[in-house]
Amino acid sequence: MGKKGDLSPRKKAEVKALLNTKTFSNREISRRLKVSEASVRRIKKVIESGEELSPKRKKRCGRKPIFTPRSERCLKKICLENRFATTKVIKSQLQDASVNASERTIRIKLKELDFKACRPAKKPKLTAAMKTKRLKWAKQWQDQDVNFWRSVCFSDESTFEILQNKAQYVRRRPGEKFRPDCVVTTVKHPTKVMIWSVISGKGTGRLYVVKGIMRQDQYKDVLENRLIPQLREWFPNGEPFIFMQDGAPCHTARSVKAFLAENNIPLLDWPGNSPDMNPIENVWELMKREVAKDVITNKTQLLEKIIHVWNHHPQMQETVQSCIDSMPRRIKALIAAKGGSTKY
């Protein structure tokens, strides 16, 4: 005879079929199908009550989950209070709240809660005063359309260096730690060059290689020999334009301001610590990615690569136009962030 709960779905169906005929007694059905009489009575009772022969479990089986709704809220609170907390730290804080979970379980639960471990974005530190100035500037220029921003000449300097491999990970097997293709080479004093240039809705402007540190005398030379000829080329018929430069000391010197005024070059007022509002910064990033693709070992090769990318990269002009046309969106994002950091 079968034990309680051992009947297969097929055997249960056979018992049910004989019971429905109302011809055989419980004992006869038990003898015919070789099942216990108790099983027959149990199935008969289920039929009479109108329930299913194989009802679904009312409770979940197996081990109870470690994280309850309450402990999940505790985990979220810990993550929101300290975004940089490691799973080891989180585990310790959960234990203080009487939640015993392994680091692996915590990582799985964090992934379910959409808390992903990512490298943090790097942004300039902004004080309350800086945010106020940025927000005021954004509100001042929020009504300007794309055509206005295409007439703005955005300028800036950027530094390039050789051996720019910033790889964070390398795939290697045991014993390959010091293979030449598994290490990142460094030098004590890497060769660096500082480049100045300008962009506008007309495209990319002339490059200037800064000698040492940019000071006001050298910057006046840049304006005279690079900017002014470029402006004459871009706006030959006296079309309106405006020049943008950040608040670096060499840019705001009295002699520089006097030079710009003498040459009738209007300036766009600019808030401090605002690289996210300057579209040329995105162009520099494209440049650095392209330069880093080649193995460059000396200053001459570095300069040749920079000049080639600036003047001949197929996506350069498209990138410049796209970045400048994003200015209205950048300003909206700055206002939404109340002067704080934006995604740009």
Side-chain angles (χ1 to χ4, degrees):
M1 295 294 178
K3 295 181 181 180
K4 181 178 178 181
D6 285 347
L7 295 184
S8 65
R10 181 176 178 181
K11 186 68 72 174
K12 290 179 181 178
E14 291 175 353
V15 172
K16 183 180 178 182
L18 292 179
L19 286 172
N20 288 335
T21 61
K22 299 181 180 181
T23 305
F24 305 98
S25 65
N26 293 348
R27 181 176 293 180
E28 290 174 332
I29 294 174
S30 173
R31 192 184 309 112
R32 278 173 172 266
L33 299 179
K34 296 182 180 180
V35 298
S36 67
E37 195 171 338
S39 296
V40 178
R41 286 197 301 268
R42 191 165 54 252
I43 294 173
K44 184 177 182 180
K45 186 177 179 180
V46 171
I47 294 172
E48 290 174 351
S49 65
E51 298 179 3
E52 297 180 5
L53 286 178
S54 300
K56 295 182 180 178
R57 295 180 185 271
K58 293 182 180 180
K59 295 183 179 180
R60 292 181 62 183
C61 62
R63 180 181 176 183
K64 292 183 179 179
I66 294 176
F67 280 99
T68 62
R70 179 180 174 277
S71 57
E72 281 188 7
R73 290 193 297 271
C74 181
L75 177 61
K76 286 182 181 179
K77 183 179 179 182
I78 292 172
C79 290
L80 293 175
E81 289 178 350
N82 184 2
R83 298 283 189 166
F84 294 89
T86 63
T87 51
K88 186 175 182 179
V89 172
I90 294 173
K91 177 183 177 181
S92 176
Q93 294 183 8
L94 285 175
Q95 287 176 344
D96 294 339
S98 301
V99 180
N100 294 315
S102 67
E103 293 184 26
R104 181 174 181 273
T105 302
I106 292 171
R107 285 193 291 268
I108 293 173
K109 178 54 65 174
L110 286 174
K111 188 174 182 181
E112 292 177 0
L113 297 175
D114 285 337
F115 283 95
K116 298 180 180 179
C118 309
R119 291 189 180 89
K122 295 181 180 179
K123 291 288 185 178
K125 182 177 178 60
L126 298 172
T127 64
M130 292 174 184
K131 292 180 181 179
T132 301
K133 290 180 180 179
R134 280 161 56 88
L135 182 59
K136 182 180 178 181
W137 178 86
K139 290 181 178 179
Q140 178 185 353
W141 298 99
Q142 64 180 333
D143 296 328
Q144 299 295 340
D145 59 9
V146 172
N147 292 327
F148 168 80
W149 293 110
R150 288 176 179 173
S151 68
V152 177
C153 302
F154 296 93
S155 70
D156 192 25
E157 298 92 3
S158 187
T159 301
F160 296 78
E161 63 181 48
I162 63 174
L163 299 175
Q164 300 181 77
N165 193 333
K166 305 295 183 181
Q168 298 296 318
Y169 302 100
V170 61
R171 301 188 187 280
R172 67 187 184 212
R173 293 166 294 190
E176 295 183 339
K177 182 176 182 179
F178 299 105
R179 280 177 56 92
D181 55 351
C182 294
V183 301
V184 174
T185 56
T186 62
V187 294
K188 289 185 178 180
H189 305 288
T191 301
K192 298 181 180 180
V193 294
M194 180 179 286
I195 303 294
W196 175 95
S197 193
V198 61
I199 62 171
S200 74
K202 305 285 186 177
T204 55
R206 291 169 167 81
L207 290 174
Y208 178 86
V209 181
V210 180
K211 302 177 182 67
I213 299 175
M214 180 77 86
R215 302 189 185 278
Q216 56 180 302
D217 292 338
Q218 186 175 187
Y219 188 58
K220 285 169 60 179
D221 182 62
V222 172
L223 297 177
E224 183 176 0
N225 297 307
R226 292 294 188 276
L227 178 64
I228 292 178
Q230 189 64 67
L231 294 176
R232 290 172 180 166
E233 181 180 320
W234 280 344
F235 311 101
N237 300 318
E239 300 96 329
F241 69 89
I242 190 167
F243 178 59
M244 173 269 152
Q245 61 180 7
D246 60 27
C250 62
H251 300 166
T252 56
R254 291 182 181 179
S255 60
V256 172
K257 290 182 177 179
F259 178 87
L260 293 171
E262 289 172 5
N263 289 274
N264 299 317
I265 300 176
L267 276 175
L268 176 71
D269 64 300
W270 194 254
N273 292 79
S274 300
D276 54 342
M277 292 295 106
N278 192 350
I280 198 173
E281 295 285 354
N282 302 95
V283 180
W284 291 136
E285 285 301 315
L286 170 64
M287 290 270 292
K288 290 179 180 180
R289 287 197 302 270
E290 291 300 316
V291 170
K293 290 180 180 179
D294 289 358
V295 178
I296 298 174
T297 58
N298 56 62
K299 186 175 180 179
T300 301
Q301 293 178 355
L302 181 59
L303 289 174
E304 289 176 352
K305 183 64 178 181
I306 291 171
I307 294 170
H308 177 78
V309 173
W310 184 259
N311 293 315
H312 303 292
H313 191 276
Q315 296 179 354
M316 182 59 68
Q317 301 304 322
E318 180 183 348
T319 300
V320 169
Q321 294 295 333
S322 172
C323 291
I324 291 178
D325 290 351
S326 70
M327 282 302 298
R329 298 194 299 275
R330 291 172 188 250
I331 291 177
K332 287 182 180 179
L334 184 56
I335 293 174
K338 298 181 180 180
S341 299
T342 67
K343 69 177 183 178
Y344 295 97

